Amino acid sequence: MKLTDFFKEKEAAASRRKIGKEEIAVASEVLRDYKNAKSALESRIVEDEQWWKLRHWDTFDKEKGTKTKSVSAWLFNAILNKHADAMDSYPEANVLPRDRDDVEEANKLSGILPAIMEHNNFEQIYSDNWWYKLKHGCCVYGVFWNSEAENRLGDIQIKKIDLLNIFWEPGINDIQKSRNLFIVDLKDKDVLESEYPSLRGKAMESSIDIKQYIYDEQVDVKDKVLVIDWYYKVRNANGKTVLHYCKFVGDNVLFASENMEEYRERGWYDHGEYPIVTDCLFPEEGTPVGSGFVAITKNPQMYIDKLNDAILDNAIMSAKPRYFAKISAGVNEQEFLDWSKPIIHVEGDINEERLRPINVAQLPPSAVNVLQMKIDELKETSANTDFSRGSAAGGVTAASAIAALQEAGNKVCRDMLKTTYRAYTLINYLCIELIRQFYTETRSFRIGTPDGGYQFSDYSNKNLIPSKDNEISHRKPVFDIAVKTQKKSPYTRLSQNELAKELFGLGFFNPENRTQALAALEIMDFEGKRAIEEKIRELSQNERV
C-alpha cells in the first residue's frame, strides 16, 4: 500500500491518528522504493569520489600488460580552481523590509543572521558543500531546530547532508514537491540506547542498507543502527498542508510530531517546507540533483591518462635496451646484464645473427598532439582556461589586459555562484522562519559593526509574530533577502582601489565639479557608487559652510 493511500484511509477514518508500528512499516516500504530508484545516482557518486581521489584506474579496464599507471590531476585542478573562486565569493545576507514599519526589525536580522551562521561554523559547511557540489553535481544544506543547543534553550542548526543519506520521491525536479523525505544516519547502538533508554532490549535492525564510499581504512558498521528522520506533508483538519516529522529506528518510534497535541494541527515547522535546501550545479530533468565536473570531464581525463601511459611505457622501453640472442650465442649473460662489469666474456664471434638489439618503434607525433588536444578539451569543458587560473598566454603581458581576461573567463564561475546565492537566500529564509517560531525567549547576540568592532543585541520573536488587538490579527512581517559577497578577491579589491584613484585624479571630489561628477556617476554602475555620491555631496556642503 502506498503511503498516500494509507494516510487517506486514516484521514477518512478519524480526525486523529497516532504514528505507530503500522505507519512505520509503510514508511519503511516507501523508503525502500525511494532508495531503489536512486541506486544509479548512488553508484555514480561513489565512482565520482574515486575519480576525485585519483583512484580512477579502478573504475575502467586496465590494458593488459601495461605496467605504468599514469595519474594526472587535470580534473582535480579544475575542481580546485572552482572551489577557490567560490571561497573568494563567500556570501552574506542583507535583510530588507517590505513595509516601512519593519525597517528596524530588518536591520536587527541583518546582524543576527551572520551571527547564527558563525555559531554554526557555516564557512566550513559552505566549503565542504562546494567540494561536494563540484564533484557530484549537487549539495544539500539542512536547516533544523536543535532543542538541545544553548543549554536546552534551543537554536538553529545548519548541516551538510550527504546525497547518499537523503531520499525523495523519484521523477520530480523540486524536492519540496516530494510526498515524503527521508534523512538517514548510522549511529552506535550503545550511544542510541543511552539517549533513548526505552530502546534497550528491543530490535533495532533495519532491512535497508546505506550505500558506502570506498574508504582507505576499514570501516566497521556492525555495531551501528540506522536512524531514520521521516518528514511528510499531510492536510490537517482545516484543510491546510502541514509538515510533520517522525524519528524511528527499526519499528520503534522515537519521536513523532503528529503524536503530540501541540503539533498535531500546526505541524512540526510552521513554514511547512522540508528543512533542506539543494544547490545544483548542472541540472538534469526529472531529478532535483544534477551532474558535476567529474561527470563531464572524466572521459577526457581517462584518455589523457591512457595516452600518458602509452608515452611513458614507450619511453621506458626505449631507455632500457633489450636483445635477441641465439641460444648458442656464446655470451656470458650474467656479465652482459651487469653494467658494472667492464669486460664481457664471449665464445666465438659476436654479430647481429647471434646477438641483435630490439629496436623499439617510437610513437608518432600525432599521439602527443592528441594528448594535448585532450588536455585542452578538459580545460575548455571545465572552463579552467589559463587566464581563469591566473596564467599569461598568447603574448598578453599587460597587467590590466590579463586582469580583464581573467574577469571575462570567470563568467562560468559567476553563473555557478548565482545558484549558490539563491540557495543561500532560501537558507536564510528558513532561518528567519525558525526564529519566528522558536525564539520565544530573549537571547543575546554579538553583532559586528562596520568599524570592525562589535556590540550586543537582545532579540526575540515578539516583533515577528502577528499580534492580536481586539481579536483582530495583524499582518505577519515579511522580508526580502539580498545576498552580497562578504569576501572579495584580490582582483576586485585592486579594481576598486584603481577606480577610486582614477576618480580622484579626474577631480570628482572637487566641490566645484559637483554637478559634472554627479552627472557622470548617474550613468556609471559599480559597487560603492552610492557612498561616493554621498561623499561628493558632503564635501560640497562643507565647502559652502
Side-chain angles (χ1 to χ4, degrees):
M1 179 185 295
K2 293 184 178 179
L3 197 61
T4 53
D5 298 334
F6 181 81
F7 275 157
K8 284 179 180 178
E9 290 183 6
K10 285 284 187 178
E11 288 173 353
S15 60
R16 293 186 177 183
R17 60 173 173 266
K18 186 175 182 179
I19 301 299
K21 290 187 176 183
E22 189 178 0
E23 288 78 7
I24 294 301
V26 178
S28 298
E29 182 182 346
V30 173
L31 172 57
R32 192 175 297 105
D33 292 340
Y34 286 7
K35 185 183 185 311
N36 292 337
K38 187 167 155 275
S39 59
L41 171 64
E42 293 178 344
S43 298
R44 176 173 67 81
I45 290 174
V46 173
E47 181 180 320
D48 288 350
E49 192 67 21
Q50 290 298 99
W51 281 85
W52 166 248
K53 294 191 297 184
L54 305 181
R55 308 286 176 83
H56 47 275
W57 274 104
D58 298 332
T59 65
F60 52 83
D61 294 334
K62 306 178 185 66
E63 294 181 4
K64 300 298 183 181
T66 301
K67 296 181 180 179
T68 309
K69 285 186 179 181
S70 175
V71 177
S72 60
W74 291 102
L75 188 156
F76 181 94
N77 184 63
I79 294 177
L80 190 67
N81 279 276
K82 293 294 179 288
H83 184 271
D85 290 337
M87 296 310 295
D88 274 343
S89 303
Y90 182 74
E92 184 177 86
N94 183 28
V95 182
L96 305 175
R98 291 189 184 178
D99 190 278
R100 61 174 58 90
D101 295 334
D102 300 326
V103 173
E104 182 179 356
E105 206 67 21
N107 292 335
K108 289 182 179 180
L109 288 172
S110 294
I112 289 171
L113 287 177
I116 292 175
M117 297 297 171
E118 183 180 351
H119 294 168
N120 280 277
N121 195 19
F122 185 78
E123 184 172 350
Q124 183 63 54
I125 298 172
Y126 175 84
S127 174
D128 293 343
N129 263 355
W130 256 97
W131 287 121
Y132 201 96
K133 173 183 176 179
L134 292 168
K135 289 186 292 183
H136 307 306
C138 183
C139 63
V140 181
Y141 297 87
V143 186
F144 309 100
W145 178 256
N146 183 3
S147 58
E148 299 295 322
E150 300 293 331
N151 295 323
R152 296 185 179 274
L153 181 62
D155 208 349
I156 297 169
Q157 182 181 38
I158 303 175
K159 298 168 57 178
K160 170 195 170 186
I161 299 178
D162 197 307
L163 283 177
L164 297 183
N165 295 340
I166 185 171
F167 303 90
W168 58 87
E169 182 181 348
I172 60 172
N173 282 5
D174 184 1
I175 205 167
Q176 293 294 339
K177 295 181 180 179
S178 178
R179 183 63 181 82
N180 305 271
L181 181 74
F182 299 92
I183 303 174
V184 303
D185 190 20
L186 286 172
K187 288 191 176 182
D188 292 317
K189 186 175 181 180
D190 57 339
V191 173
L192 199 61
E193 287 178 344
S194 65
E195 294 178 0
Y196 301 93
S198 60
L199 288 176
R200 291 172 183 167
K202 294 184 179 180
M204 291 184 278
E205 290 73 18
S206 175
S207 59
I208 299 170
D209 294 327
I210 300 303
K211 187 78 171 180
Q212 299 291 325
Y213 292 103
I214 302 174
Y215 301 105
D216 292 336
E217 66 273 12
Q218 293 292 331
V219 178
D220 188 6
V221 297
K222 65 179 182 180
D223 293 327
K224 296 181 181 292
V225 293
L226 195 66
V227 181
I228 302 173
D229 290 341
W230 169 32
Y231 296 90
Y232 57 96
K233 297 180 180 180
V234 295
R235 290 187 180 274
N236 61 13
N238 299 323
K240 177 184 176 182
T241 300
V242 296
L243 176 74
H244 278 295
Y245 163 58
C246 175
K247 179 187 287 287
F248 64 93
V249 176
D251 59 357
N252 305 290
V253 178
L254 304 180
F255 175 86
S257 60
E258 203 166 3
N259 293 349
M260 303 177 66
E261 188 68 31
E262 179 183 359
Y263 298 107
R264 182 171 291 118
E265 296 300 327
R266 66 184 293 187
W268 176 236
Y269 290 131
D270 289 347
H271 55 64
E273 300 287 339
Y274 292 127
I276 64 164
V277 175
T278 58
D279 182 7
C280 187
L281 185 57
F282 303 124
E284 298 175 358
E285 291 300 324
T287 176
V289 301
S291 302
F293 275 105
V294 174
I296 66 171
T297 58
K298 64 183 179 183
N299 184 270
Q301 178 66 66
M302 176 183 67
Y303 284 105
I304 287 171
D305 288 342
K306 286 189 173 184
L307 286 167
N308 274 335
D309 259 10
I311 294 172
L312 289 173
D313 284 341
N314 183 264
I316 291 172
M317 287 189 292
S318 299
K320 187 177 181 180
R322 301 177 68 202
Y323 296 85
F324 291 114
K326 285 187 176 182
I327 296 177
S328 59
V331 178
N332 188 317
E333 291 187 12
Q334 292 183 349
E335 293 178 350
F336 182 76
L337 297 175
D338 188 351
W339 287 87
S340 64
K341 300 286 185 182
I343 298 175
I344 301 174
H345 296 89
V346 299
E347 293 180 0
D349 297 332
I350 301 300
N351 52 44
E352 288 194 356
E353 292 184 1
R354 305 181 70 184
L355 186 67
R356 185 173 74 245
I358 299 175
N359 296 320
V360 179
Q362 298 297 309
L363 287 176
S366 60
V368 179
N369 293 336
V370 172
L371 172 63
Q372 187 58 49
M373 289 169 58
K374 283 297 178 183
I375 293 174
D376 293 339
E377 176 188 348
L378 192 151
K379 289 162 64 176
E380 292 294 333
T381 303
S382 62
N384 194 42
T385 58
D386 292 335
F387 283 114
S388 66
R389 293 182 289 110
S391 301
V396 180
T397 57
S400 58
I402 293 174
L405 287 171
Q406 285 177 338
E407 193 67 11
N410 284 335
K411 61 183 179 181
V412 173
C413 183
R414 291 195 298 270
D415 183 47
M416 292 189 299
L417 283 168
K418 286 180 180 179
T419 62
T420 295
Y421 286 178
R422 288 193 291 269
Y424 185 72
T425 299
L426 295 177
I427 292 171
N428 281 274
Y429 276 130
L430 290 178
C431 288
I432 291 176
E433 292 305 317
L434 292 179
I435 291 173
R436 193 194 310 273
Q437 180 178 352
F438 293 106
Y439 273 33
T440 55
E441 298 183 31
T442 302
R443 57 189 75 199
S444 182
F445 290 91
R446 187 184 72 244
I447 307 299
T449 56
D451 59 358
Y454 63 87
Q455 61 186 17
F456 290 95
S457 175
D458 295 333
Y459 193 78
S460 70
N461 66 350
K462 65 178 182 180
N463 294 326
L464 293 180
I465 56 178
S467 59
K468 289 186 177 181
D469 294 334
N470 298 325
E471 298 184 354
I472 299 177
S473 177
H474 289 196
R475 63 174 185 84
K476 180 176 73 172
V478 180
F479 305 92
D480 294 320
I481 294 177
V483 178
K484 62 180 180 179
T485 302
Q486 186 187 81
K487 297 181 178 180
K488 296 181 180 179
S489 67
Y491 169 77
T492 306
R493 290 194 296 268
L494 176 65
S495 62
Q496 290 287 90
N497 295 339
E498 290 295 329
L499 177 62
K501 291 192 294 184
E502 185 177 351
L503 293 178
F504 181 82
L506 293 173
F508 269 54
F509 301 102
N510 292 335
E512 59 270 19
N513 296 335
R514 172 180 177 272
T515 303
Q516 296 89 334
L518 292 177
L521 287 172
E522 187 175 351
I523 60 175
M524 296 174 69
D525 184 19
F526 57 89
E527 188 175 351
K529 169 184 168 181
R530 184 179 297 276
I532 291 180
E533 290 176 340
E534 293 176 355
K535 191 65 177 177
I536 291 175
R537 291 190 177 94
E538 179 185 342
L539 291 173
S540 179
Q541 292 175 356
N542 293 339
E543 181 68 18
R544 292 175 182 175
V545 174

